[in-house]
C-alpha cells in the first residue's frame, strides 16, 4: 500500500512528525520533492532532529529511505545531515538511497538564487539554497543528475569549480544511487510512505503562483517524483495546523495584523515555535484558513486530514477560523488564483469556544474536551474530509489515530 503525506497549507505543518510516526509500520519512505529548503523537525525520546533532505523515516531502525527523482540535492548539505544523524546514534549506512534521476544543486546556484530574487520587482522570499536555480536548469535541460556524474562528457561540460566541488562526493553518491522504479517494484505490495515537502499552497501549479516553490508539492507530484505510476497511489493524507503560517512573501488572507493583533500574533508564533527550521526566519501567522484548506483537499484528493498544533490554543477563551473571503464586497468560499484578489481578501471569521485544557494530558481522542472536538467536527464538515489523526504535541506519543491509515 502506497500512502502520500503532503502539507495542506503553506508548509511547516508537521509532516515530518507524522511521517516519522507512521514510518514504524511502513517498509520504506520516499521523499519525492524539494531540497534543502525544506525543514522537518522531529522529537523522539526527548531528542530533536532537524531534517532537510533525508526522509523522516530514517529514525526507525531497519527502515529504508529514498531521495526521489523530484528532489534537488546539495551533496554537501546531505552529508552534513547524515553526519548529524550519525553523531546522534542513528545508523544510516545501507539505509539511505538516492534516485539516479534526482538533480544536483551546485554551490554557485545559491548566489544565482539570491541575485534572481533580489532583481525581481516583487521578490518571492527565496531561502537562497539554490533550489529555484536547480529546478530552472532542470526545465531548461541544462541540469546535472546523479545518473550523469560518471558520464565523462557531461562532467567535462561543467565549470572547473563545479567539478572540484563534486569530486570528494562522487564515490559516496554513486554508492547510494539506485533506479528507484526498480527498487519500489521489488517491494510492491508493502507499506510505503511518500513524503512531500513544503505544502499544497506552494505547489508550482496549484499554489499561489508566483509565490510558490519550484517543485511539485502536491499529491500528484508523488507519482513523478517517486518514480511510480499515479494508479499505484492508494491514499493521500493532508497535514495542517490548527492555525495558518507562511514563510516568505505572497498572499495570506488570514494573517494576523501585527499592529492591532500583536498579542495574538506573538502568542501563536512563540507558543507554536513558529520559526523556520531551515532559515530561522519567524513565520507569518494567522487564523486557520478553511477556504484554502478545502481547496487543498479538493485539488489533491485528500482522503484524510491530519491536524497538528491543536494544543497551541489551550489557554485561549475563544478561537476563530476563516470560513469565507470578502473580496471587494463580494463574499466567496472558493479559493481564487488571482494574487490581486487574494491580496484584497478579508477573512470572514467564525468563532469557537476555547477548551482551556492542557491537551497534552489527554491520552486519546475521546479524552479531548468537547469544545476541541467541536472545532474538529466543524473542520471536517466544512472541508468534507475526515480528520483521521490529531497531534497535540511534538513527541511521537502526543498523537491520536482516529482512522486506520493502512
Amino acid at each position: 500500500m502506497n500512502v502520500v503525506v503532503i502539507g495542506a497549507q503553506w508548509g511547516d505543518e508537521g509532516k515530518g512528525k507524522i511521517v516519522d510516526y507512521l514510518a514504524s509500520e511502513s517498509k520504506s519512505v520516499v521523499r519525492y520533492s524539494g531540497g534543502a529548503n525544506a525543514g522537518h523537525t522531529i522529537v523522539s525520546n526527548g531528542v530533536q532532529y532537524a531534517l532537510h533532505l533525508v526522509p523522516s523515516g530514517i529514525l526507525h531502525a531497519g527502515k529504508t529511505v529514498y531521495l526521489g527523482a523530484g528532489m534537488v540535492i546539495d551533496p554537501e548539505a546531505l552529508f552534513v545531515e547524515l553526519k548529524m544523524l550519525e553523531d546522534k546514534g542513528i545508523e544510516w549506512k545501507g539505509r539511505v538511497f538516492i534516485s539516479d534521476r534526482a538533480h544536483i544543486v551546485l554551490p554557485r546556484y545559491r548566489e544565482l538564487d539570491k541575485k534572481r530574487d533580489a532583481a525581481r520587482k516583487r521578490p518571492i522570499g527565496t531561502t537562497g539554497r539554490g533550489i529555484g536555480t536547480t529546478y530552472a536548469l532542470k526545465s531548461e535541460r541544462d541540469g546535472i543528475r546523479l545518473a550523469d556524474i560518471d558520464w565523462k562528457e557531461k562532467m567535462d561540460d561543467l565549470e572547473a569549480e563545479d567539478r572540484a566541488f563534486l569530486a570528494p562526493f562522487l564515490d559516496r553518491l554513486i554508492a547510494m544511487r539506485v533506479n528507484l522504479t526498480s527498487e519500489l517494484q521489488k517491494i510492491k505490495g508493502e507499506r510505503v510512505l511518500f513524503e512531500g515537502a513544503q505544502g499544497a499552497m506552494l505547489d508550482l501549479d496549484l499554489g499561489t503562483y508566483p509565490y510558490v516553490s519550484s517543485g511539485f508539492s502536491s499529491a500528484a507530484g508523488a507519482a513523478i517524483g517517486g518514480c511510480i505510476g499515479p494508479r499505484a497511489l492508494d491514499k493521500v493524507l493532508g497535514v495542517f495546523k490548527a492555525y495558518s503560517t507562511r514563510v516568505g512573501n505572497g498572499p495570506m488572507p488570514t494573517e494576523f495584523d501585527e499592529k492591532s493583533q500583536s498579542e495574538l500574533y506573538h502568542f501563536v508564533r512563540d507558543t507554536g515555535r513558529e520559526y523556520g527550521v531551515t532559515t530561522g526566519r519567524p513565520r507569518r501567522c494567522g487564523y486557520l484558513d478553511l477556504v484554502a484548506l478545502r481547496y487543498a483537499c479538493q485539488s489533491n484528493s485528500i482522503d484524510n486530514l491530519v491536524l497538528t498544533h491543536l494544543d497551541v490554543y489551550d489557554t485561549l477563551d475563544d478561537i476563530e477560523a476563516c470560513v469565507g473571503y470578502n473580496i471587494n464586497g463580494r463574499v466567496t468560499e472558493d479559493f481564487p488564483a488571482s494574487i490581486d484578489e487574494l491580496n484584497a481578501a478579508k477573512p470572514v471569521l467564525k468563532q469557537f469556544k476555547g477548551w482551556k485544557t492542557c491537551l497534552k494530558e489527554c491520552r486519546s481522542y475521546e479524552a479531548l474536551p468537547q469544545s476541541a472536538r467541536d472545532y474538529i467536527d466543524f473542520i471536517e464538515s466544512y472541508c468534507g474530509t475526515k480528520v483521521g489523526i490529531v497531534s497535540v504535541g511534538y513527541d511521537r506519543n502526543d498523537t491520536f489515530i482516529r482512522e486506520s491509515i493502512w
Side-chain angles (χ1 to χ4, degrees), residues 78-134:
L78 174 62
F79 287 107
V80 166
E81 192 168 313
L82 291 172
K83 178 66 165 54
M84 175 274 293
L85 289 169
E86 198 169 291
D87 290 345
K88 292 188 175 185
I90 304 298
E91 180 51 59
W92 63 268
K93 291 177 182 175
R95 299 201 293 127
V96 180
F97 299 96
I98 311 172
S99 167
D100 51 11
R101 289 174 166 82
H103 278 245
I104 294 174
V105 180
L106 296 171
R108 59 188 174 88
Y109 297 173
R110 299 171 199 156
E111 285 307 310
L112 284 171
D113 248 10
K114 295 172 186 175
K115 287 179 181 177
R116 283 182 176 183
D117 205 39
R120 290 185 173 107
K121 292 182 179 179
R122 298 178 183 83
I124 294 168
T126 174
T127 60
R129 295 297 195 274
I131 308 304
T133 296
T134 309

Side-chain angles (χ1 to χ4, degrees), residues 10 244 252-256 285-290 322 325 345 347 349:
W10 283 275
S244 299
M252 185 180 172
T254 65
E255 184 172 12
F256 300 137
C285 300
Y287 302 107
L288 174 61
D289 190 335
L290 289 174
C322 171
Y325 296 157
L349 300 174

Side-chain angles (χ1 to χ4, degrees), residues 127-141:
T127 60
R129 295 297 195 274
I131 308 304
T133 296
T134 309
Y135 276 119
L137 289 170
K138 175 181 177 177
S139 296
E140 292 167 3
R141 289 152 291 181

Side-chain angles (χ1 to χ4, degrees), residues 57 80 96-97 152 176 180 187 190 196 207 246 258 322 363:
V80 166
V96 180
F97 299 96
K152 185 179 183 304
M176 298 166 69
L180 185 52
I187 56 172
E190 299 278 4
R246 180 167 191 162
E258 198 158 5
C322 171
R363 291 294 90 193

